[in-house]
Amino acid sequence: MRYRRIFTIVVDSFGIGQDPEAERFKDAGANTFLHIYQSQQGLDVPTLYALGLGQLDHVDRTQTMGYACRLQEASNAKDTLTGHWEIMGLLTTQAPITFTEHGFPPELIHELEKQTGRKVIGNKAASGTAILDELGEEEIATGHMIVYTSADSVLQICGNEDTFGLDELYRCCEIARQITMKPEWRVGRVIARPYVGKKRGEFVRTANRRDYALQPPQDTVLDALKEDHYDVIGIGKIHDIFSGRGLTQTLHSESSVHGMEQTTSFLDIDFTGLCFTNLVDFDAKWGHRRNPAGYKNELETFDKKLKQFIEGMRNDDLLIVCADHGNDPTYSGTDHTRELVPCLMYSPDMKKSGVLPDGRSFADIGQTIAENFGIADRHWLGRSRLSELI
């Protein structure tokens, strides 16, 4: 075992463009990092540049520590679920089903109404904030249930925390998850979207979101680590994305800043294994809402938190900063964008730094983790980069 603790931080949606499959996904020219940099007249992220981020897109030549490379997604997808699954070794050949154009079929809605005892309103693709302004007052007045989707493979249900109630919202989502296990309705995630407020213009979504994801179809690197009695800590959406599988401890995050603070707190905890963090605000708050200024500010805040994290690392710690897909906030529409992602790796014990060759799968990350902890390679994608980290 070379590293006793590995911290893998997923900056949700932080793509770096130029994916060979982009045109097939109708994402030609998308580049989350570069277009934020250009549209906002630069980015003040010295820690990420020191790790080699700017070298990957020829934006900033600064690199003083660690190794950087770009990874290509091998799966036939561009969403959070399959991106994280691939990071931990799994290939998804069939993209998750979406209902963006026409909403959910009448048969699904009828079954959901029957089993929950509530009438469905909405049933279309929409922005989460826009649909609250449109239907929030009606939901509060009638007790009806707002159901909507997006460009992702999701069924989302809104519930006002004061009038609908969190327990009832979660109950309805659990029913929706069971209904959508049918092959023709099998969305990647059912998402509970609680909110507060009493009238249009005042509605605010809360941190009590809950995702009900499909189970990974095979064991991941997380499962193997747990089986070999290593600690596997999930922070943020990791528990939801993997349906709790392969984890020994989980923490819910209220924001990306909170997620980084939780991750940093584990520097003072003696464990052996993996701390796996998802920072969702980049995607949910800024990418989907096509807000490059907000994305820039979130990145700059993250960079400061990352500096604090690195200052507290031990010599036998390894940091991996990566992403699960792109979501270019300057691009058309509101969907994720198919992009390469950065992979930045650093440990205080490294004697050199530099840019490594691109990888053909996000699963290079999982394979690196697996080799470090002596986990036998199973069916996983990717190749380990451990020998390159010198």
Side-chain angles (χ1 to χ4, degrees):
M1 183 194 309
R2 179 172 171 187
Y3 300 108
R4 187 178 177 194
R5 305 187 301 183
I6 297 181
F7 295 85
T8 300
I9 301 172
V10 181
V11 182
D12 199 311
S13 84
F14 190 47
I16 199 162
Q18 304 173 64
D19 186 290
E21 297 290 313
E23 188 168 350
R24 183 167 68 85
F25 283 86
K26 301 180 181 179
D27 292 327
N31 190 323
T32 301
F33 168 47
L34 182 62
H35 291 158
I36 294 170
Y37 181 92
Q38 291 174 337
S39 69
Q40 302 304 303
Q41 291 78 54
L43 273 168
D44 184 17
V45 287
T47 308
L48 288 168
Y49 290 151
L51 292 170
L53 174 68
Q55 293 263 47
L56 300 178
D57 229 331
H58 312 295
V59 164
D60 187 292
R61 295 294 185 182
T62 303
Q63 183 172 13
T64 58
M65 56 187 184
Y67 291 87
C69 65
R70 302 179 304 179
L71 301 179
Q72 179 182 348
E73 186 163 10
S75 294
N76 183 33
K78 56 175 181 177
D79 66 275
T80 295
L81 199 68
T82 56
H84 281 75
W85 288 358
E86 184 170 323
I87 287 170
M88 289 301 154
L90 300 190
L91 175 69
T92 300
T93 57
Q94 184 174 351
I97 189 169
T98 60
F99 295 91
T100 309
E101 292 187 12
H102 306 293
F104 300 103
E107 297 82 4
L108 188 160
I109 295 299
H110 172 75
E111 192 62 28
L112 185 58
E113 290 180 332
K114 176 183 174 182
Q115 292 194 33
T116 61
R118 290 180 180 270
K119 180 181 177 181
V120 167
I121 55 177
N123 188 25
K124 60 183 178 180
S127 157
T129 51
I131 204 160
L132 287 181
D133 280 340
E134 178 186 350
L135 297 173
E137 291 180 354
E138 180 180 350
E139 189 251 359
I140 292 170
T142 64
H144 296 337
M145 182 167 59
I146 301 172
V147 174
Y148 70 107
T149 188
S150 68
D152 296 341
S153 179
V154 294
L155 184 153
Q156 305 186 78
I157 302 179
C158 300
N160 186 282
E161 290 196 3
D162 296 323
T163 59
F164 201 97
L166 279 176
D167 289 343
E168 175 64 4
L169 176 60
Y170 297 154
R171 181 188 75 88
C172 292
C173 287
E174 288 165 5
I175 291 170
R177 177 70 279 176
Q178 291 303 313
I179 292 171
T180 55
M181 291 306 294
K182 292 183 67 172
E184 63 268 34
W185 300 340
R186 188 172 293 169
V187 294
R189 287 175 292 160
V190 172
I191 305 177
R193 290 287 196 178
Y195 67 98
V196 294
K198 296 181 179 180
K199 62 182 181 179
R200 184 193 312 266
E202 296 180 357
F203 297 129
V204 177
R205 297 195 295 192
T206 74
N208 291 317
R209 162 182 170 163
R210 187 173 292 179
D211 292 38
Y212 300 82
L214 292 173
Q215 290 267 351
Q218 296 173 294
D219 284 354
T220 69
V221 174
L222 302 183
D223 295 299
L225 288 169
K226 184 178 180 181
E227 287 171 14
D228 279 15
H229 307 292
Y230 289 106
D231 297 300
V232 189
I233 302 150
I235 296 178
K237 285 171 52 181
I238 299 300
H239 178 277
D240 295 340
I241 291 167
F242 290 89
S243 296
R245 279 182 46 178
L247 300 174
T248 61
Q249 184 178 352
T250 62
L251 286 81
H252 171 72
S253 303
E254 296 182 358
S255 65
S256 289
V257 169
H258 185 217
M260 271 306 295
E261 291 170 348
Q262 291 170 311
T263 305
T264 302
S265 73
F266 275 90
L267 289 170
D268 296 324
I269 297 173
D270 192 27
F271 72 92
T272 302
L274 173 68
C275 180
F276 192 17
T277 300
N278 170 276
L279 304 178
V280 70
D281 287 353
F282 298 92
D283 186 51
K285 285 188 174 181
W286 316 120
H288 284 302
R289 298 183 190 179
R290 295 301 187 251
N291 186 333
Y295 209 128
K296 166 191 163 77
N297 292 337
E298 193 81 47
L299 281 170
E300 292 178 348
T301 299
F302 168 66
D303 193 81
K304 293 181 177 67
K305 293 290 183 182
L306 189 62
K307 180 177 185 294
Q308 295 171 7
F309 178 90
I310 288 172
E311 289 171 348
M313 291 177 68
R314 302 174 185 171
N315 284 342
D316 58 355
D317 289 339
L318 174 64
L319 168 68
I320 302 174
V321 179
C322 61
D324 54 341
H325 52 73
N327 201 345
D328 187 340
T330 71
Y331 211 69
S332 59
T334 60
D335 194 6
H336 295 152
T337 44
R338 174 81 178 206
E339 301 180 45
L340 300 177
V341 302
C343 178
L344 313 176
M345 296 170 283
Y346 170 73
S347 175
D349 84 332
M350 290 177 178
K351 304 298 188 290
K352 297 182 180 180
S353 63
V355 176
L356 301 176
D358 291 351
R360 293 180 141 185
S361 171
F362 296 175
D364 285 8
I365 296 168
Q367 288 283 21
T368 301
I369 295 167
E371 183 186 2
N372 180 77
F373 291 110
I375 303 296
D377 191 356
R378 301 184 184 181
H379 45 257
W380 302 316
L381 295 173
R383 67 179 183 87
S384 172
R385 299 300 186 97
L386 195 64
S387 64
E388 299 171 79
L389 307 181
I390 58 177

